[in-house]
Amino acid sequence: MITYIFLSRQIMRPVTAALWVAAMLVGLQQSALSLIIITDRSSKNLSSVPTDLPHRVESLDLSCNHIQQLKRRDFNNTPFLTFLNISWNSLEEIDPETFLNTPQLEGLDLSHNRLINLSSQLYLLHTGNLRVLNLTRNKFLTMTLGSEFSSLIKLERLALGAKNISIGDLKHIAKVKLRTLSLFLEDELVYEGGSLIDGHAQRLQIAFTNNQITNRNLVTDALSQFDEVELMNLTGGYYEFGEQLRQRKEIYPSIIYLTDIQINWHNLTEFVNVALGTTISHLNASDVTLGKMPQRDTDVAKMSKMKSFTVRRVEVKEFIFSQEAVYNFFINMPIESLAIMETPIIHMTCPKSQSPIHKLDFSYCALSDSIFSSAEPDSKSVECKNLGNLRKLILVGNNLKSLQLLSKRVRYMRSLQHLDLSLNSLVYDGLTKCVWPSNITNMILSSNGLTDTVFKCLPNRTETLDLQNNQISVVPLSILKLDKLVSLNLNANRMRDLPVCNGFPILSELLLKSNSLHAPTLSKLESCPKLKVLDVSFNPFTCICALRPFRSLGITSEKKTSHTGVDLLNWPHDYSCSYPDAVRNSTLKEISIPEVTCNVGLLAAAILCPAVIVIIAVVTLCHHLDVPWYMGMIWQWTRAKHRARSRHVRPEDLVGVEFHAFVSYSQQDADWVHNSLLPNLQGPAGGLRICHHEKHFVPGKTIIENIISCVEKSRRSVFVLSAHFVKSEWCHYELYFASHQRLSQGSDNIVLVLLEPLPQYLIPSKYYQLKSMMKRHTYLEWPQDRAKHRLFWANLRAALQADLPIAPAEEIEE
C-alpha cells in the first residue's frame, strides 16, 4: 500500500495535528490493501471549494485558505471522500446537505474557523460513518451539542472547545462510546462541575492555553470517570493538581499523561511523590521542559502502588546542576517499570538499596559503558548489586561500545531475563571472558559492530538470540555451547553458508535473510535435527549445480513434503538468482537445473554414449566409402600444390632439364606403364614430358650412361614399385643414381608409386635406401577401384607439374 500523510500547515498545534493524523490512520486501517488518493489544496488562497476536484479523491486538504461557506453541491463529485481537512479557514456557515453525497467520510477537521453554534451542526446528519471530528478553536460560547450529534454512532475521537461548559451539554453523545474526548479550553473558561457526566470515553484530553492553570472542578470530573487522563500544555498549577490527587481516596484513571509541559524540578518531584501515593498505575510525561535543576539529592517516596513511570523527550534549560541527584531520584523510585527515552542522559546510577524495579528502558539516550557503576578513589569501578529484581533491561540506541564491559555491569542482576542492546556500537575482541548473569533467555544484539567472536560472549541459557545487522561471516565450530537456544536471528550479516548447529542442539528457528549465501550447503542442516523454520530470502543465489539441493528443499517445503520438516519462509517470491546473467532476477522456483548437468556420471554417459555411437558409425561409413584413402590423396595433392607454389625454382636450376619425370619400372610392369601411366601423364590428358628407357635410351651408350643421362635431364624420378621392381638389377641402379642426385642437389626429386602392396620383408637388403624412403616419404598407391583412378592421376600430375624450358626438337615433333 502506498499512502501519503500530510499536515495542513506548518504552525498547526500538536494536538490538532494529532487528531488529523488519527483520522488518517483510522482510514488506513479500513483500506490497508488500497491506494489512498490524496489531493492537497492547502494554502492556495481559495475562497470556495474548487470545482475541479478528482472524482476518486479520498483525502482532501483545504486548510489555510479563505473559505467562508460550504455549499450543498461542493462535494457532489467526490463520493469516495474519506478525510476532509478544512481547518484554518473563515468558515461561518455549512449547508445541512453539504455531505449528502460523501457517505464514506470518516475524518472531518473543522478547527480554527468561525462557527458559532455547536447546537446547530445539521450537516452531521449525513456523516453517519464519521470516526474523527475536530471542532476546536471556533467561536462557540457554549459546548451544548445539538441532537444531530447522536447520529454519530461510529465516532471514536471528538475534539471540542467553548468558553462555557455546563451540565447537559454532552447529553446527545451519552450513548456514543468514544475512544478519546478532547477539550481545548478557552481563556476565562466557565466550567460547571459534573458537565462531563455524559461524555463516555476511554481517554480524556485537556489542552490548556498559555499560562492557564488547572480548573479544580474540571480536574475533579476528569479523575472521577475516565480510564485515562491527559493534560497538555501545562505551565503551572502542579501544586493544586497534586493536592487534588492527595485528597482523593480513590482515583478512577489508571493512567495519567502529561504532554508538552513546562515544570521545574521541585514541582516535578513533588507531583511524582504525590502520584506514587495514589492508586494511579501509570504516569507518563512527554515533551517536558525542565528547569531549576537540583544541586543535591531529592527524597523519593519509599512505598508506592504505581507500576510504571515513563518520560520521553526531556529538555533541560540549565547547565550547572547535579546530574547524579537527577539520576538518583528516578532510579530509586519504588515502581516496577521505569522508562526514560529520547533524553540525552549520559549515565545512570545504582539504586541505594535493593530496588523493586522489574523493567528499565533507557532507549535512545546517550548512555556509556559506565552505566550503573561507580568509581572508587583508586579508579576501580564498583558494579551495581541493587537491581537483583530486574527482569527486562532495554538500552537501545545509546553509546555502548564494549560487550564484555556490559556483561560486568549486569552480572549481579540475577533475575535478568531480557536484555536489548541493539543500535549501539558494541564490539568484542574475544580476549577477555564475559560474565553474564545466568538467567538471561532473550538477548537482542542487533545493529552493532559484532563479528564471529560474539559467540564466545553469550549467556549460556539464551533461548532467543537476535544478531541481525552485524558483521558476522561464519559461526565458529569452537563456540560456547548454547544448549537452550531455540531461535537465532542472523539477518543482514555477512554469512556465506549455513551454520553448523553443533553448538545449538535444539535450534528450531534460523533466520539468514539478506546475507551473502550463494549456494547453501544443505548437508549442514543434518546437524540441526530440531530445525522447523528457515529463512534464507534475499540472498545473492548462484543458480548452478551446487544450489540444486537447496532449490529442492524450497519446492518440497512449499508442498509440505520435505523429509526434513523445515518450513522455508518467504519461498518462492524472495529467492532470486543473481548469477548467471541469463537467469538473473528469476526466482529459484522458475529456473531449471537438470540433474544430468550436475551428475558427472550421467553427464559423461549422456555425452560419451552418443559420441561413441557417432564415432562407430563414422568409422564404419568411412571404411565402407574408403574415406581415409580419399583424404590421404587430397592431402598429398594439396601438399604438392603448396610445394609447387611455395618453392622458388631458379632458372639456372632447370638448365639441361628436358623432362618432367624419368619413369623407372620393371619390364614385367611395362603393360601398366604403357597403357595407364604414360597416356595419363603425356599428351592432352597430362601435358607432361616423360622420359622412359624404351624411348629415350640412346643406342651405343651403356645402360649406366643412359640411366645417368635420363636422371639428369629429368626434374623428378618416378619409381613404379612392385615385387618385380625389387628383383630387377637395373631398377636398383636407377634408384641408386636418383638417390645420389637427390643428395647432391639437396632437393626431393623422387616420387614413389606403389603398384601393388609391397611388405618390407619382401624388399632385399640391398634396397636399404628404398626401405628408408618408404618409411620417411608419402607414396602413392595405385587403387584397384576404378572410381579412384582420376584422383590418383590428379595427385601424380600435381607432384610432377613444373614450368620447364622449351622442349627439344624431337619431342616437339612427336
Side-chain angles (χ1 to χ4, degrees):
M1 178 186 65
I2 302 175
T3 60
Y4 303 88
I5 298 178
F6 57 85
L7 297 180
S8 62
R9 69 185 188 92
Q10 293 180 347
I11 60 173
M12 181 179 288
R13 300 280 298 180
V15 178
T16 304
L19 286 168
W20 178 241
V21 172
M24 294 288 290
L25 293 177
V26 169
L28 294 182
Q29 293 173 358
Q30 303 300 318
S31 56
L33 299 178
S34 62
L35 176 68
I36 302 298
I37 301 176
I38 295 176
T39 299
D40 185 0
R41 299 290 178 87
S42 63
S43 303
K44 301 294 183 182
N45 203 28
L46 300 173
S47 60
S48 61
V49 176
T51 58
D52 61 343
L53 296 174
H55 178 69
R56 297 194 63 83
V57 63
E58 297 178 42
S59 177
L60 175 61
D61 187 0
L62 295 174
S63 63
C64 303
N65 283 293
H66 305 288
I67 301 172
Q68 294 183 344
Q69 184 180 11
L70 294 183
K71 302 175 183 178
R72 176 180 178 179
R73 299 183 182 278
D74 282 345
F75 302 104
N76 279 1
N77 192 43
T78 58
F80 302 100
L81 187 64
T82 306
F83 312 109
L84 175 61
N85 182 3
I86 198 167
S87 62
W88 295 92
N89 277 271
S90 302
L91 273 179
E92 296 178 354
E93 183 182 352
I94 302 176
D95 189 280
E97 296 185 354
T98 296
F99 302 111
L100 184 62
N101 296 306
T102 57
Q104 299 184 29
L105 189 65
E106 296 182 1
L108 179 60
D109 189 348
L110 297 170
S111 63
H112 297 87
N113 280 288
R114 297 177 181 176
L115 300 174
I116 59 175
N117 191 356
L118 266 174
S119 62
S120 183
Q121 307 296 313
L122 298 180
Y123 56 88
L124 294 176
L125 293 172
H126 303 292
T127 59
N129 286 318
L130 209 60
R131 295 174 181 271
V132 178
L133 176 60
N134 187 357
L135 289 165
T136 62
R137 307 306 184 201
N138 278 277
K139 301 297 182 180
F140 303 130
L141 293 177
T142 65
M143 200 177 285
T144 305
L145 304 182
S147 60
E148 59 273 12
F149 281 85
S150 62
S151 65
L152 305 179
I153 57 175
K154 295 183 179 181
L155 197 63
E156 297 180 3
R157 299 173 184 267
L158 176 62
L160 302 169
K163 289 183 178 294
N164 296 279
I165 306 176
S166 304
I167 295 176
D169 284 351
L170 305 180
K171 65 181 180 180
H172 290 300
I173 61 168
K175 295 183 179 181
V176 179
K177 304 299 182 183
L178 296 172
R179 182 175 179 183
T180 302
L181 174 61
S182 301
L183 300 180
F184 286 68
L185 305 185
E186 304 284 347
D187 293 331
E188 300 178 359
L189 172 71
V190 177
Y191 179 84
E192 182 181 1
S195 298
L196 299 180
I197 192 66
D198 294 320
H200 301 291
Q202 179 180 342
R203 177 187 290 196
L204 175 65
Q205 289 180 328
I206 303 175
F208 297 89
T209 60
N210 291 334
N211 301 317
Q212 188 177 34
I213 62 174
T214 58
N215 182 287
R216 185 175 183 86
N217 290 334
L218 177 57
V219 171
T220 298
D221 288 349
L223 297 177
S224 301
Q225 68 180 87
F226 298 95
D227 293 334
E228 303 173 13
V229 173
E230 181 175 1
L231 304 181
M232 299 177 287
N233 306 324
L234 267 180
T235 58
Y238 296 105
Y239 175 78
E240 292 78 4
F241 185 29
E243 283 300 305
Q244 284 186 267
L245 293 177
R246 194 193 309 270
Q247 293 169 8
R248 295 183 66 90
K249 293 182 180 180
E250 183 177 353
I251 299 176
Y252 194 85
S254 60
I255 306 177
I256 297 292
Y257 296 92
L258 300 175
T259 303
D260 195 15
I261 66 171
Q262 296 181 29
I263 191 170
N264 61 48
W265 177 256
H266 175 74
N267 288 339
L268 174 65
T269 54
E270 281 292 318
F271 180 79
V272 170
N273 277 324
V274 170
L276 289 171
T278 67
T279 58
I280 297 173
S281 298
H282 308 282
L283 179 59
N284 293 358
S286 60
D287 299 300
V288 179
T289 301
L290 197 55
K292 296 184 179 180
M293 301 302 291
Q295 299 299 328
R296 57 180 181 272
D297 283 354
T298 304
D299 292 336
V300 61
K302 303 298 182 182
M303 302 292 292
S304 172
K305 295 181 181 179
M306 185 184 295
K307 294 183 179 179
S308 72
F309 175 74
T310 300
V311 59
R312 64 176 70 229
R313 293 186 297 276
V314 178
E315 181 181 2
V316 178
K317 292 296 186 179
E318 299 177 7
F319 296 99
I320 302 175
F321 63 95
S322 172
Q323 295 188 36
E324 187 173 348
V326 175
Y327 304 147
N328 283 338
F329 179 83
F330 292 116
I331 198 65
N332 286 288
M333 291 176 65
I335 53 179
E336 294 182 3
S337 175
L338 171 64
I340 302 176
M341 297 175 286
E342 301 175 56
T343 302
I345 59 174
I346 60 175
H347 184 64
M348 182 50 65
T349 56
C350 181
K352 295 180 179 179
S353 59
Q354 196 60 236
S355 173
I357 294 177
H358 291 170
K359 176 184 176 182
L360 283 176
D361 187 349
F362 298 131
S363 298
Y364 304 103
C365 294
L367 296 169
S368 67
D369 293 340
S370 63
I371 183 174
F372 302 129
S373 66
S374 59
E376 290 291 308
D378 58 359
S379 299
K380 290 184 178 180
S381 61
V382 177
E383 308 305 337
C384 182
K385 299 182 180 181
N386 291 331
L387 287 169
N389 295 310
L390 188 65
R391 299 174 185 173
K392 190 171 187 178
L393 177 59
I394 301 174
L395 299 174
V396 176
N398 282 276
N399 293 328
L400 307 177
K401 297 181 179 180
S402 172
L403 187 62
Q404 191 273 334
L405 283 179
L406 261 295
S407 73
K408 291 178 62 178
R409 301 294 176 257
V410 302
R411 67 182 300 183
Y412 297 111
M413 300 178 188
R414 56 184 180 275
S415 300
L416 188 62
Q417 298 176 356
H418 178 99
L419 179 59
D420 190 346
L421 300 174
S422 56
L423 287 169
N424 281 280
S425 303
L426 291 172
V427 295
Y428 176 61
D429 57 13
L431 301 177
T432 310
K433 185 178 180 181
C434 296
V435 285
W436 299 104
S438 60
N439 290 320
I440 295 180
T441 57
N442 188 14
M443 191 83 164
I444 303 176
L445 295 169
S446 60
S447 300
N448 282 283
L450 298 168
T451 61
D452 310 344
T453 56
V454 68
F455 290 97
K456 298 180 180 179
C457 182
L458 294 172
N460 56 14
R461 293 190 180 181
T462 304
E463 297 178 5
T464 303
L465 178 59
D466 187 347
L467 285 167
Q468 66 176 318
N469 195 25
N470 279 281
Q471 299 180 32
I472 300 170
S473 58
V474 65
V475 177
L477 294 177
S478 58
I479 63 172
L480 180 67
K481 194 168 186 179
L482 302 176
D483 291 328
K484 299 186 179 298
L485 188 65
V486 175
S487 175
L488 176 59
N489 187 343
L490 289 170
N491 291 340
N493 275 275
R494 302 177 180 180
M495 296 290 293
R496 296 185 293 271
D497 203 351
L498 297 174
V500 176
C501 298
N502 293 340
F504 329 119
I506 63 170
L507 187 69
S508 64
E509 181 182 60
L510 178 59
L511 307 179
L512 291 163
K513 182 191 299 184
S514 301
N515 275 269
S516 301
L517 280 77
H518 296 286
T521 306
L522 204 60
S523 60
K524 292 187 177 182
L525 293 183
E526 295 176 0
S527 64
C528 311
K530 302 293 184 179
L531 191 64
K532 298 300 179 185
V533 177
L534 176 64
D535 188 355
V536 200
S537 56
F538 296 106
N539 274 279
F541 294 107
T542 301
C543 295
I544 56 177
C545 291
L547 190 67
R548 196 169 181 275
F550 179 78
R551 178 179 175 274
S552 299
L553 173 66
I555 294 174
T556 56
S557 172
E558 183 180 17
K559 297 177 180 178
K560 307 298 182 183
T561 58
S562 173
H563 69 281
T564 62
V566 175
D567 181 17
L568 199 60
L569 296 184
N570 304 314
W571 175 273
H573 304 294
D574 297 336
Y575 293 76
S576 302
C577 299
S578 63
Y579 178 85
D581 290 338
V583 293
R584 184 185 295 271
N585 298 326
S586 300
T587 64
L588 270 59
K589 184 180 178 181
E590 294 173 343
I591 66 166
S592 175
I593 308 177
E595 184 177 1
V596 68
T597 63
C598 303
N599 188 311
V600 176
L602 287 178
L603 183 62
I607 295 175
L608 293 179
C609 289
V612 170
I613 294 174
V614 170
I615 291 172
I616 292 174
V618 169
V619 170
T620 303
L621 186 63
C622 290
H623 179 74
H624 180 72
L625 300 177
D626 283 338
V627 172
W629 186 89
Y630 282 104
M631 294 300 295
M633 283 297 181
I634 293 173
W635 170 244
Q636 292 184 32
W637 179 83
T638 304
R639 288 184 61 194
K641 287 291 186 180
H642 176 72
R643 284 195 300 268
R645 285 194 299 267
S646 61
R647 179 177 297 168
H648 179 68
V649 180
R650 296 173 300 177
E652 55 268 25
D653 293 337
L654 298 177
V655 173
V657 177
E658 300 175 6
F659 303 99
H660 288 91
F662 165 65
V663 178
S664 173
Y665 56 93
S666 172
Q667 194 62 35
Q668 279 80 3
D669 300 322
D671 290 342
W672 181 81
V673 172
H674 290 298
N675 297 330
S676 297
L677 179 68
L678 296 179
N680 281 283
L681 296 182
Q682 296 183 137
L688 300 177
R689 299 201 295 269
I690 303 301
C691 175
H692 54 97
H693 69 274
E694 293 181 355
K695 181 178 180 181
H696 295 99
F697 274 19
V698 179
K701 288 186 178 182
T702 64
I703 295 176
I704 297 299
E705 289 176 334
N706 277 308
I707 291 174
I708 294 174
S709 176
C710 285
V711 169
E712 289 177 347
K713 291 180 180 180
S714 300
R715 186 168 177 269
R716 294 188 183 281
S717 298
V718 176
F719 293 93
V720 180
L721 305 180
S722 66
H724 303 298
F725 181 90
V726 297
K727 296 178 181 179
S728 171
E729 190 70 24
W730 296 115
C731 289
H732 178 225
Y733 285 125
E734 291 169 352
L735 179 62
Y736 173 79
F737 289 121
S739 299
H740 180 75
Q741 185 188 37
R742 178 174 65 86
L743 294 175
S744 62
Q745 294 183 359
S747 61
D748 191 4
N749 62 345
I750 295 177
V751 177
L752 303 179
V753 175
L754 193 61
L755 190 60
E756 59 185 19
L758 187 62
Q760 291 280 323
Y761 65 86
L762 292 179
I763 301 175
S765 58
K766 65 180 178 179
Y767 279 93
Y768 64 90
Q769 290 178 323
L770 176 60
K771 289 183 178 182
S772 176
M773 282 189 286
M774 290 184 70
K775 290 179 181 179
R776 291 184 290 104
H777 288 71
T778 301
Y779 48 83
L780 297 175
E781 294 185 59
W782 171 248
Q784 300 302 318
D785 188 353
R786 296 181 61 87
K788 302 175 183 179
H789 288 179
R790 293 184 62 185
L791 184 57
F792 172 83
W793 297 122
N795 275 334
L796 184 56
R797 284 192 293 268
L800 303 178
Q801 187 65 48
D803 294 329
L804 300 182
I806 298 175
E810 63 272 17
E811 196 67 37
I812 296 175
E813 291 176 0
E814 294 178 5

